[in-house]
Amino acid sequence: MTAFKVLALTLGLGGTAVLVGAPEAGSGVEPLIATALLALLPITWGFIAIFQARYLLREAPLPTVAVGAWAGALVLAPFALTQTGMPQVWDGSTALAFGYLVIFGSCVGLSLQLWLSRALRPTTMAFVQVIIPTEALLVGAFALGEAITWRMLAGAILVAAAVVVNAVAGGSGTTSPKAPFPSMTVSS
């Protein structure tokens, strides 16, 4: 970790905290917990990015995504069961959104992320999570006509500055093996 990388991560986390913002006074404990978890998400993602960068030097991304998805489903199943009595509406737009999340959010997105973990620095991969709230802000503004507040704009600027500082920090990427997916190579 160089001083530039620490600065970039600090700017990114600060920008995410500004984007998320503090819950309004008197709104209860749930929004406070949600805000704290959203602010901690980039930190946990950073640790996972470092682990993935080392682990994926030996493993293929597609099976890793499949195992991770099934493990996530098993962890979330008990929480899903607590909501079985709640009303559910499945119409065309719901099915389309669900399909998009499964195909592009999970299958394609996670596979590309794991594949990129081989070529990019772990600090660069950690910026995926600080960029996502800014992307959501832009999608909400341009696609849904949501208003952009000064706080949101300030958070987005901090995140953009973090990405620039990280790019300036440079450094070598992870040491990648010769074969793109070593566990899938065939020896003669």
Side-chain angles (χ1 to χ4, degrees):
M1 290 294 282
T2 66
F4 273 123
K5 290 179 185 179
V6 171
L7 175 62
L9 290 172
T10 303
L11 286 171
L13 291 173
T16 302
V18 170
L19 278 172
V20 170
E24 294 182 18
S27 58
V29 71
E30 289 87 6
L32 184 61
I33 293 171
T35 300
L37 290 174
L38 284 172
L40 289 174
L41 183 63
I43 295 170
T44 59
W45 189 272
F47 286 115
I48 294 302
I50 292 167
F51 174 75
Q52 285 177 343
R54 293 188 178 146
Y55 178 72
L56 286 178
L57 292 176
R58 298 183 311 268
E59 300 299 329
L62 293 177
T64 304
V65 168
V67 170
W70 279 107
L74 291 175
V75 169
L76 291 175
F79 297 104
L81 291 175
T82 65
Q83 299 181 3
T84 54
M86 297 178 76
Q88 298 177 20
V89 178
W90 281 88
D91 57 11
S93 61
T94 306
L96 184 63
F98 180 76
Y100 173 83
L101 287 174
V102 168
I103 293 170
F104 293 103
S106 294
C107 298
V108 174
L110 290 175
S111 296
L112 285 174
Q113 176 215 330
L114 293 175
W115 179 75
L116 284 172
S117 293
R118 295 170 165 264
L120 300 176
R121 297 184 330 258
T123 51
T124 301
M125 289 305 297
F127 279 99
V128 169
Q129 283 302 311
V130 298
I131 292 173
I132 288 174
T134 305
E135 290 177 50
L137 170 74
L138 294 173
V139 169
F142 293 117
L144 303 174
E146 295 177 353
I148 296 178
T149 66
W150 285 104
R151 187 191 85 231
M152 293 174 178
L153 187 59
I157 289 170
L158 284 172
V159 169
V163 172
V164 169
V165 170
N166 182 62
V168 169
S172 61
T174 58
T175 307
S176 58
K178 294 183 195 278
F181 304 108
S183 62
M184 298 169 70
T185 57
V186 179
S187 55
S188 46

